[in-house]
Amino acid sequence: MKIAFFDAKPYDKPSFDKFAEEKGFKIKYFETKLNEDTVDLLEGKNYDAVCVFVNDTVNSKVIDRLYEMNVKTVALRCAGFNNVDMKAAKNKLHVLHVPAYSPYAVAEHAMALLLTSIRRIHKAYIRSRDFNFSLQGLTGFDLHNKTVGIIGTGKIGRVFLDICRGFGMKVLAYDKFPNKSIENENLRYTNLDELFEKSDIISLHCPLTSETYHVIDENAIGKMKKGVVIINTSRGALVDAEALLNGIKSRKVGAACLDVYEEESDLFFEDNSGHILEDDILARLISMPNVIVTSHQAFLTEEALENIAETTIDNLVELSETGKSANELCYRGGETERCLNNKCF
Ligand code: NAI
């Protein structure tokens, strides 16, 4: 099998080379992202599959070109699939993903961002490197007894809520499909309005869909407690960045911890330090003392990279040997879901 691997970074290669070699697969790494301009790089090369990440664009035009070039599979090396036009892919391409590789990596990063922000570790680190040992302005608050609102209680949300309970926090949860069995005296499901009104900290762990797009907008922020801390390690467009910026400027939002950003695709994962940042909202957010931005690194642990590579290659092996994969996605009735019986293709 010949695989075209887009948006390749040095940290991707060791684990993918290891698992691909074991299965006799050939990988060609492209540093560029897959999109309408770059898809023609595959012309005449007889690739069987493309391997893509979160900021590659697999829209209907890209899908049609892949189909014309007889590429049969899009292997996402991530869980989210919001960058793939699943409707357009139906009956043309198999779409595989990695549903779980380390929920701990993302949940632990969310907590790292939260602690950094509320205990001002980012400020203290810079001060002490300059031998400035003043504590002025570094007052934080205890997490113990605070209420955390968790939107999305799937794999990552559940690890995060366990971590929060370890800190003695109370949990309010919202999920389109609540798992009532995890409720107890310190954890209960509620609606979004109550979650917004009562949470000291709100953390997003749901996928980006038409329903969750801008779930945190001006209206939602208006309902929140003064000083609320918002954490987004899921997908940028869950948060209306302009509304968040206004919430911070008005002092309604006490802090924001962002591992993802709506317009991240041309910026994140790259060194832009020598360039003028065109995105005024991101520039303003980064300039705030109470905003921490990391560039979509929550997944980036050794364990996760190993699991991502192994599952991606296993998905392709399973598909080539049996014609289907347990991690295949399909589009049915307006929704994307796991394709269990291969009847959709
Ligand atoms: P999951 O599929 O296990 O859990 C998602 C949860 O969201 C499910 O419980 C589902 O019922 C719920 N949900 C679906 N639609 C909803 C809606 N409209 N409102 C509220 N809840 C809804 O997914 P997992 O593994 O926990 O990942 C969550 C998200 O984290 C992914 O969708 C992805 O966007 C993001 N992610 C970010 C990474 C990073 O490096 N920053 C790495 C991996 C995932």
Side-chain angles (χ1 to χ4, degrees), residues 110-263:
M111 182 48 87
L113 290 176
L114 175 60
L115 286 171
T116 301
S117 131
I118 65 160
R119 301 307 303 269
R120 317 276 189 263
I121 305 294
H122 54 308
K123 297 277 162 203
Y125 174 76
I126 291 167
R127 274 190 202 181
S128 58
R129 288 179 69 83
D130 211 17
F131 310 119
N132 173 356
F133 301 117
S134 156
L135 297 183
Q136 187 60 34
L138 299 184
T139 309
F141 63 82
D142 292 3
L143 287 179
H144 182 78
N145 257 337
K146 294 293 183 301
T147 297
V148 60
I150 297 182
I151 301 178
T153 53
K155 292 175 285 299
I156 296 169
R158 282 211 298 281
V159 175
F160 186 68
L161 68 83
D162 279 344
I163 293 172
C164 290
R165 284 193 294 189
F167 277 76
M169 300 168 83
K170 297 179 189 110
V171 180
L172 280 177
Y174 172 76
D175 197 294
K176 191 178 174 185
F177 306 102
N179 175 3
K180 292 275 184 183
S181 69
I182 62 171
E183 282 191 322
N184 60 37
E185 61 178 312
N186 285 323
L187 190 169
R188 84 182 154 82
Y189 279 97
T190 183
N191 54 40
L192 276 179
D193 277 352
E194 190 190 2
L195 185 148
F196 291 147
E197 282 158 22
K198 297 196 173 156
S199 300
D200 302 293
I201 293 136
I202 294 175
S203 194
L204 300 169
H205 300 288
C206 57
L208 174 61
T209 65
S210 51
E211 284 173 335
T212 59
Y213 175 78
H214 283 186
V215 63
I216 305 293
D217 60 5
E218 189 184 347
N219 184 36
I221 291 171
K223 293 174 187 160
M224 292 176 194
K225 278 187 177 181
K226 188 169 163 38
V228 64
V229 180
I230 296 173
I231 309 167
N232 188 7
T233 55
S234 271
R235 285 292 179 268
L238 295 174
V239 176
D240 177 344
E242 194 165 1
L244 177 66
L245 179 60
N246 290 335
I248 289 164
K249 281 157 79 176
S250 69
R251 298 356 183 220
K252 180 77 184 257
V253 175
C257 307
L258 308 175
D259 185 53
V260 286
Y261 176 69
E262 187 167 2
E263 303 297 332

Side-chain angles (χ1 to χ4, degrees), residues 270-293:
E270 308 296 336
D271 179 359
N272 285 293
S273 57
H275 301 276
I276 307 289
L277 188 62
E278 299 284 347
D279 186 326
D280 289 349
I281 294 177
L282 181 60
R284 193 79 171 92
L285 281 170
I286 289 173
S287 76
M288 296 288 180
N290 50 354
V291 175
I292 300 199
V293 175

Side-chain angles (χ1 to χ4, degrees), residues 51-55 75-83 96-101 235 296 299 308 312 315 329:
C51 182
V52 300
F53 197 47
V54 295
N55 290 321
L76 286 151
R77 54 181 191 278
C78 55
F81 45 82
N82 52 287
N83 52 336
L96 313 174
H97 78 146
V98 182
Y101 35 89
R235 285 292 179 268
H296 210 134
F299 74 99
I308 288 169
T312 305
N315 288 345
L329 297 165

